[in-house]
Structure formats: structure tokens, C-alpha cells
Amino acid sequence: MKTAFITGITGQDGAYLAKLLVEKGYKVHGGVRRISHPELGRLEALGVAKDVHIHDFDLTEPNNIYRVIRDVAMDEFYNLAGQSFVGASWELPIYTSDVDAMGVARVLDTLRTLRPETRFYQASTSEMFGLVQEVPQRETTQLHPRSPYGVAKVYGHFITMNYRESFGMHASSGILFNHESPLRGKEFVTRKITLALAKLAHGGVDAVQLGNMDARRDWGFSGDYVEGMWRMLQQDVADDYVLATNTTTTIRDFVNYAADALGMDLAWDGEGVAETATDRKSGKRVVEINEKFFRPAEVELLIGDARKAREKLGWTPKVDVRELAQMMAKSDFDALL
Ligand code: NAP
Ligand code: G4F
């Protein structure tokens, strides 16, 4: 039986990965940071809360990291913890880099000292491509991050590569494009949309307030992507891989897919901050634009080329963006029944 340690186990990906590893027969340990109201809701939703061993863990706390790595005899370490909300990173640039950049170095250096044979996974991101230098983006595409979050993740990415090259550690970095699920945080645009539309479908009256409708994202399903993380750590040689669907969709079209799943028929009108969407059937206003959701610098286009993961890991995503929007909208609708 293998043992895995997952940081960020209470998050979206942490919960799906914990479920995958429990099903594969792993002994699963996870790190949970101290907050006033500890929350294992996602692990409970996936039915694995009782199957995981929880440890106090914070990426900003070096001695805490040291003790956890000393005490848990782990074969694999998945570093999924992070300040993951891009929009917040302009307000929290120092904290974001402490967690998303320095936190990675703290873990790698402790593993190097105590358990250098442990296989390590770093949660890198398509946000590192930012102002994209190539379409589609792949492992070799030049990075140009556009947010403090993206900048911090670039450090995490390169320090992972550096510990592999410097110390021969089995350290891999997954450059994951956006991936979502019914367990996605409510501030991310997909979940914000599906929750708001589900409330409208239940008789609510509040339109969802959104920012840039023209940004394009390559959206996949978290459940598919954690399978790719696991496959990376099963390779004889550590490496970096893009995981993506190779389809890009505007925010506007994601709204259309979610609306469709809930039986709405949207009419779009206006441009820029005056843009709106109204449901032809109910006459209700569904989308309004609010300038406060625009970002100081935007990532306009993401579309990934996951050929390397397909060829070397045998990984392919199973859920497309329409199915994803439908899955999320239906889940939010059913939860309100
Ligand atoms: P998420 O739902 O926001 O989960 C983040 C997790 O990190 C939560 O468990 C959170 O704990 C924990 N955390 C935050 N700060 C911490 C700290 N200082 N010490 C220890 N734990 C801390 O994010 P996700 O969508 O699952 O993403 C997982 C990772 O992949 C993140 O690093 C993210 O940046 C990266 N990523 C995500 C995507 C995506 O599209 N989902 C794409 C590429 C990369 P709480 O429960 O206490 O908040
Ligand atoms: O859903 P988002 O907040 O995700 P974003 O910024 O792409 O980041 C996510 O994916 C990254 C991978 O590329 C991860 F590394 C990161 O941790 C996170 O999981 O925003 C998506 C797009 C942006 O272009 C944003 O400007 O949606 C646009 N948007 C328009 N209106 C909005 C809104 N985003 C949010 N959150 N809220 C809005 O009202």
C-alpha cells in the first residue's frame, strides 16, 4: 500500500485527488490549515472524509512542514495548496507569493533534507502563459504571467524543475489549464455563473454581475485532471506536462451553455459595460456587467496542447465544456430543490 500526502486536501482538486487515491488503495494523508471554521465539506461530498488522515499544515510555516514530512512516511507528495484566486492576488501579492512561491521551496527543501526519494507534484498553471506567446500553449511556450498569482506560480514551477535538476529529485510540474466541477469555489467565474443561473431558474430575480465576457478559457473537469497528476508521479522519470482540452470558450458562451442546461434561451444585447443577457422565456435579466470584476491585467486567451500528456501518460480528458457546464448547472439547481 502506497502513502500519499496532499496539501490543499480541502480544496476542489484535493478532494477529487483524495477520492482517486483512496479508490486506488493508497493511505491518504492531507494538510489542512488553521481557520476559524474547519471545513471538510468537499471530502464529505465525495464520501472520503473518513478515509483520510488530517494534519495541521500551513505552507507559510517551515517547522510545521518539517514535522509533517518527518512524521508521515510518504511515497508521493502532491502540493495542491495555494492562494488560487487570481482576482485576489493584486490585493494580496505578498501573501500570494509567500504561499504560492516560497511555500513550494519550503516543501521541496524539507523533502530534500528528510525524504529525497519522495515523488513530488507541483500544481503549476496555464496562468503562467498570461500574455500568450504561442497558440496553443504547450510545455515549451515562453511564459509571460499577467497577475501576482501567475508570477508566484512561475517561481513554484521553476524551483520544482530546479530541484529535479540539482538534486535528482522525482519532482514533476503539471501545467493545468482551468478545470472546474460542482465543487469549484463560488468566486470562480464558472461556478458563479451556474449558481446564479440555478437561483434564477428557481424563481430568483438577481442577474449575475460579471466582468470581461470576451476572455477565453480552456475548461476541463477536475475529476479528469487529478488522474493526470497521479499518472505524472507513476513515470520512471519526472517531467512537466500540460493538461488541457484544446478547446477554448468565451465567458459568454459558458453562460449560454449553463443557461441551455437550465432551459433558458438568452438574448444578448449591448456592448462593453452595457452588455446584458435576458431570458426570452421568463423575461428575466440574467447577466449584467459590473466594472468591479474587470482585472488590472487580463489573460485574454488560453488554449492548451496536451499532446505530450496524451502520448507519454496516456491521459485524455473525458468531459467537454458543454457537459461540464451542464454538470455544474444541474448540480447547483438540484442542491436548491
Ligand atoms: P482551491 O479549491 O482554492 O484549493 C486550494 C487549497 O489550498 C485549499 O484546500 C486551501 O485551504 C489550501 N490553502 C490555501 N492557502 C494555504 C496555506 N497557506 N497553507 C496550506 N493550505 C492552504 O484550489 P483548486 O482549484 O483545488 O486548485 C489546486 C491547486 O492547483 C492550487 O494551487 C491552484 O493554484 C492550482 N491550479 C488550479 C487550477 C484550476 O483551474 N482549478 C488550474 C491550475 C492550477 P482552505 O480550504 O482552508 O481554503
Ligand atoms: O474563473 P476565474 O476567476 O479563473 P482564472 O482567473 O482563469 O484562474 C483559474 O484558472 C487558473 C488556470 O489558468 C488557475 F491557475 C487559477 O488558480 C484559477 O483556478 O476567471 C476566468 C475568467 C477571467 O478572464 C476573468 O476576468 O473569467 C473572467 N471573469 C469575468 N467576470 C470573471 C468574472 N472571473 C471571476 N472570477 N468573476 C467574474 O465575475
Side-chain angles (χ1 to χ4, degrees), residues 8 10-13 33 35 42 57-59 80-82 84 95 99 123-125 149 153 176-179 184:
T10 55
Q12 171 190 254
D13 291 2
R33 65 175 166 157
I35 50 172
R42 290 181 171 115
F57 184 90
D58 199 304
L59 276 177
L80 308 188
S84 68
Y95 174 71
V99 176
S124 287
T125 165
Y149 167 83
K153 284 285 188 177
L176 272 49
F177 283 63
N178 298 50
H179 47 280
R184 183 60 143 151

Side-chain angles (χ1 to χ4, degrees), residues 193 197 253-266 286 325 329:
I193 292 165
L197 268 58
D253 276 339
F254 191 91
V255 175
N256 282 327
Y257 298 154
D260 200 37
L262 295 170
M264 299 177 187
D265 177 18
L266 299 189
V286 173

Side-chain angles (χ1 to χ4, degrees), residues 1 5 18 77 79 81-82 152 179 187 196 208 214 219 222 234 239 243 251 280-281 283 301 315:
M1 184 194 270
F5 190 88
F77 189 109
N79 186 36
H179 47 280
E187 72 273 40
V208 59
D214 295 313
W219 278 300
S222 173
Q234 309 318 303
D239 205 347
L243 299 185
I251 312 301
R280 290 190 179 91
K281 294 182 183 165
L301 167 71
W315 178 85

Side-chain angles (χ1 to χ4, degrees), residues 210-211 213 252 267-278 285 287-291 294:
L210 297 172
M213 300 300 290
R252 191 177 296 102
W268 293 86
D269 193 29
E271 280 182 18
V273 289
E275 184 170 8
T276 59
T278 305
R285 178 66 57 82
V287 176
E288 290 171 353
I289 306 303
N290 185 331
E291 282 184 59
F294 285 87

Side-chain angles (χ1 to χ4, degrees), residues 12 83-87 123-128 149 153 176-180 184 187-193 208-219 251 290 293-295 298-300 302:
Q12 171 190 254
Q83 192 301 91
S84 68
F85 190 46
V86 173
S124 287
T125 165
S126 50
E127 183 72 15
M128 301 189 303
Y149 167 83
K153 284 285 188 177
L176 272 49
F177 283 63
N178 298 50
H179 47 280
E180 323 288 312
R184 183 60 143 151
E187 72 273 40
F188 297 95
V189 77
T190 52
R191 186 79 197 287
K192 183 174 170 182
I193 292 165
V208 59
Q209 311 267 317
L210 297 172
N212 182 0
M213 300 300 290
D214 295 313
R216 291 172 173 268
R217 289 291 181 274
D218 180 331
W219 278 300
I251 312 301
N290 185 331
F293 296 112
F294 285 87
R295 294 174 177 181
E298 179 61 282
V299 174
E300 295 290 353
L302 289 175

